[in-house]
Amino acid sequence: MLKYLSTVFLILGISGAAFAQSAIRGTVTEQGSGEPIIGANLILMGTSQGNATDLNGEYVIRGVEPGTYTIRVSSVGYITITEEITVGSSDLELDFELELTSASLTALEVFASRSDQTTPVAFTDVDQEAIQTQLGSRNLPEVLNITPSVYSTGEGGGSGDARINVRGFSQRNVAVMINGVPVNDMENGWVYWSNWSGVGDAARSIQVQRGISNVNLAVPSVGGTLNIITDPTQNKAGGSIKFENGSGALNKTTLQLNSGMINDKFAFSAVGVRKTAEGLVEGTWADEWAYHLAASYQVNESNRLDLFALGAPQRHGQNLYKMNTATYDRDYALSLDGYDPAAADIHWEKGRFFNANVAGVSNTYDEKQYVGDGAWYGASIQNRYSRDFINERENFFHKPQINLNWYSELSDKLTLTNVLYYSGGQGGGTGTLGDIEWDYTHNQRIADWDATIADNDPNGEANGILRNSRNNQWTIGDILKLSYQVNESFELQAGLDWRTAEIEHYREVRDLLGGRYYVETGDPFNPNYRAGLGDVVDYNFTNTVDWYGGYVQGEYATDKYSVYATGGISTIKYSHENFFINEGGSPLTRESDNIVGYQAKAGGLYNVTDNTGIYLNVGYISKVPIFDNVISDFNGAVNEDPQNEKFYFYEAGVRYRDPSGTFGFNANYYLTDRRDRSFTRGVDQPNGDEGLINISGLDQMHTGVELETSYKPTDWARLDVSGSYNLWEYQSDVSATYLADQGDPNSATELNLYLDGLKVGNAPQAQLAYVLGLQPMNNFDVQVVGTSFYRHWSDFDPINRDDPNDRAQTWQAPNYTVFNLHLNYTLDNILEGSSLFLNIFNVLDETYIQDATDNSRFNGFDQDHDADDAEVFLGLPRRYNFGIRVNF
């Protein structure tokens, strides 16, 4: 939406005949400087007069009939003005002031379907200042915990190993978009935040649209949508450099450079990030780079091209295994209700920074590791990160994304936006393969590397090795949108969305752990071959995903109300080629049919007063299944009748803004009804092939109320409080009978799941957030951010609840509150545009459980859904991040 921040002065003449034609004259100057803008564009919309004539910075449109018109004033690099004017019988004189801005930003916001106060959906904006102030080198989603019904954690503490949950849905059902392009995994919908570790440094803003949202692409906006806009090319030349240090030996440098506008046509910007850390949790070191490049070219008055490229080549150690609470802190475990002291006796207390995925090794072991064939790694065979330990779990990946955006005004009424994009990716994660020697001391499994090395033959076969699980991929896509302004109130929009992806999955030898080769027995085309470093082992297959989608949308808006409706359809097709399965002398190939999904949504907003609006939206999504529910990766079994999940959405809300700007609030109620959540089971088909079938019928209800308030009594103090109270529950049991052998009627297998009334776990169902901002002096800012979480039932797999005598709720983790402190001191009196900052997270050093899984198979005690049966990640203790930012 276009708007302007300056004053337009209208001077109306009163002389002349009642129906005489008039001239519109005007001047256009830069706001603040008063300098005339040569080459600005004035258009009287809806008439044949067209552009104004430029007379050395003064503009005139002649021969205008009396009446009411819309005039648009624009220039490259300035905010566009659209103003309604009334022309009388005399000449009309207009003075315009245009504010310098980034045209790329405005277009990006329109393309990315960003919401504003006229949009009837629940949303929260987190602006650049809040990101820079509160993030402090954490994972990007963690800054969003101040948003109602949003829960994000850093899980095990590895850099980029974050997850986010919105309205009780994991990020598989949360659309994440960067500059309007979806980045969820094409196979399963997941988001790997380590791939986007530099986005927080380049982000202009993040908009959290909760629920079905107003994004018109067919993306998984079930819990909501994270709509991230990065900083586009800047109009003013300059840049900044930021140095950061922090807990866990964090060192980070961020450099930003902007060319400014060149010949009113070109602009370039670049952000580069270098980050290293040892990590607080054992073995969670990080070695990262990140970049964000942008270029803009104003082709002519009606067309502009923008190019964006971003990525984050990185390696980091991981902590993927939750532990019994007593493993981290025995006293804290015993303080939990229901924790049996006998459970603490069998779990060895290792401290809050314990990581079961890392273990020491003799530094005399100096064999090299194969770390992949991506060019950014340097040499493929390298020394391991440390001579003193080996990471069982390490992540290494680079997923660049490149967008070419074209914005075109085809006419006064018709505009086009088109984004052609590419996203690649090379890398993977590590783990073990074969016979590893494990240390099970005190009920914990930790790799004994020295024993494994001793067990392998230094001149022959390695019984157990480290492997890389590779995920090499590419995606190309195009998103086309056409918008037609039927009249001043009614807009029609239509769009097409095409994506295609290919993903290679295989494992390769990373570390032979003292052996010379590993014998691979699973490749039918090369049986029992001796695999060395970098050779493929265990599995090797390639998947493809082909996606087509389209939508139409209409929006009618007046000063009093706005309504919109959207309908969309999408189709997806999967294929699979398995190089470790011999089918008639060739690799096995499988292909699904086209699977069709639908979405429909509508909403309306009514402004009761100038400061109060109420809104309502409803929607429906028929969501196509993920790859694994259609084709089995490992045996090629195909689900011949895959079933879509259905989601129904209902939401109503109210917004109020005090005319004085002192107080405002947003409140809303929502209901998301999830129907026919399905599972798949392997079956034998009559022709001897393996197949998949659906087990469906599981329903869930997600409902709640959300509130955001803001109070600013003075210029130097502001308090924001937000909260939500939710009810997320399973609504049905599941009972199904199927034939395990489709050709044998006696092979009936019964599946019963007892879930009705159980709480949906993995995120708190009630929360509060409070942000107090103070500016006790002009150059000193203080922010205190508190978050409180309640009613957090632990995660569990519904397929495991098959005991009719077990209807107990999963374990409920303790409530907790965490405070963070953010200080910023500007140095304008010493070095203009520079500042010092300090972030202290978990100021009170609270011990708390942030993630929990019920009745752990590996760390549970007596499997009765209480504290001693859960495996958990503790939140990180008090830590700091400080640095200096210099602008130039």
Side-chain angles (χ1 to χ4, degrees), residues 47-160:
T47 73
S48 59
Q49 276 78 12
N51 294 358
T53 304
D54 182 358
L55 303 174
N56 297 321
E58 296 184 356
Y59 302 84
V60 62
I61 303 175
R62 302 185 187 277
V64 182
E65 299 285 352
T68 299
Y69 300 89
T70 298
I71 191 168
R72 185 168 60 194
V73 186
S74 62
S75 183
V76 175
Y78 291 87
I79 291 179
T80 297
I81 294 173
T82 302
E83 175 73 11
E84 186 176 277
I85 62 172
T86 300
V87 180
S89 56
S90 300
D91 291 351
L92 177 64
E93 295 187 11
L94 306 172
D95 295 326
F96 298 96
E97 290 183 323
L98 293 182
E99 181 185 4
L100 195 65
T101 188
S102 171
S104 301
L105 178 62
T106 303
L108 269 177
E109 290 178 329
V110 173
F111 170 75
S113 302
R114 302 272 281 195
S115 295
D116 59 27
Q117 292 300 318
T118 67
T119 310
V121 298
F123 71 93
T124 302
D125 284 319
V126 181
D127 61 20
Q128 188 175 39
E129 181 180 356
I131 297 169
Q132 291 181 348
T133 300
Q134 299 176 17
L135 187 59
S137 296
R138 293 180 296 168
N139 300 305
L140 183 61
E142 293 181 80
V143 78
L144 302 178
N145 279 334
I146 59 175
T147 305
S149 301
V150 174
Y151 187 63
S152 178
T153 76
E155 295 201 283
S159 180

Side-chain angles (χ1 to χ4, degrees), residues 488-636:
E488 292 184 358
S489 300
F490 185 40
E491 182 185 41
L492 283 174
Q493 191 176 106
L496 297 174
D497 173 20
W498 163 71
R499 310 171 218 168
T500 186
E502 181 179 276
I503 309 98
E504 299 175 339
H505 296 273
Y506 57 90
R507 284 179 170 174
E508 62 191 8
V509 177
R510 179 183 181 88
D511 191 330
L512 287 163
L513 298 176
R516 294 300 94 191
Y517 56 83
Y518 178 79
V519 177
E520 172 54 48
T521 61
D523 183 353
F525 300 101
N526 191 9
N528 298 315
Y529 74 87
R530 297 179 175 184
L533 291 181
D535 288 339
V536 176
V537 293
D538 200 31
Y539 61 73
N540 183 10
F541 57 87
T542 297
N543 296 334
T544 67
V545 183
D546 291 293
W547 173 287
Y548 300 91
Y551 76 92
V552 292
Q553 177 174 294
E555 182 175 1
Y556 189 87
T558 68
D559 291 340
K560 199 67 177 175
Y561 66 89
S562 66
V563 294
Y564 85 98
T566 301
I569 186 171
S570 61
T571 177
I572 196 167
K573 185 175 185 178
Y574 300 119
S575 77
H576 172 78
E577 183 174 18
N578 198 313
F579 302 99
F580 270 26
I581 298 179
N582 188 337
E583 186 177 55
S586 300
L588 176 144
T589 59
R590 293 290 184 267
E591 187 175 85
S592 75
D593 294 330
N594 287 307
I595 309 169
V596 180
Y598 305 92
Q599 67 166 338
K601 52 190 174 182
L605 181 142
Y606 178 71
N607 292 314
V608 180
T609 69
D610 290 342
N611 306 301
T612 305
I614 58 175
Y615 66 87
L616 173 72
N617 68 64
V618 295
Y620 167 75
I621 291 178
S622 175
K623 183 174 179 288
V624 298
I626 64 174
F627 191 102
D628 287 344
N629 284 353
V630 180
I631 301 177
S632 169
D633 278 334
F634 295 102
N635 60 23

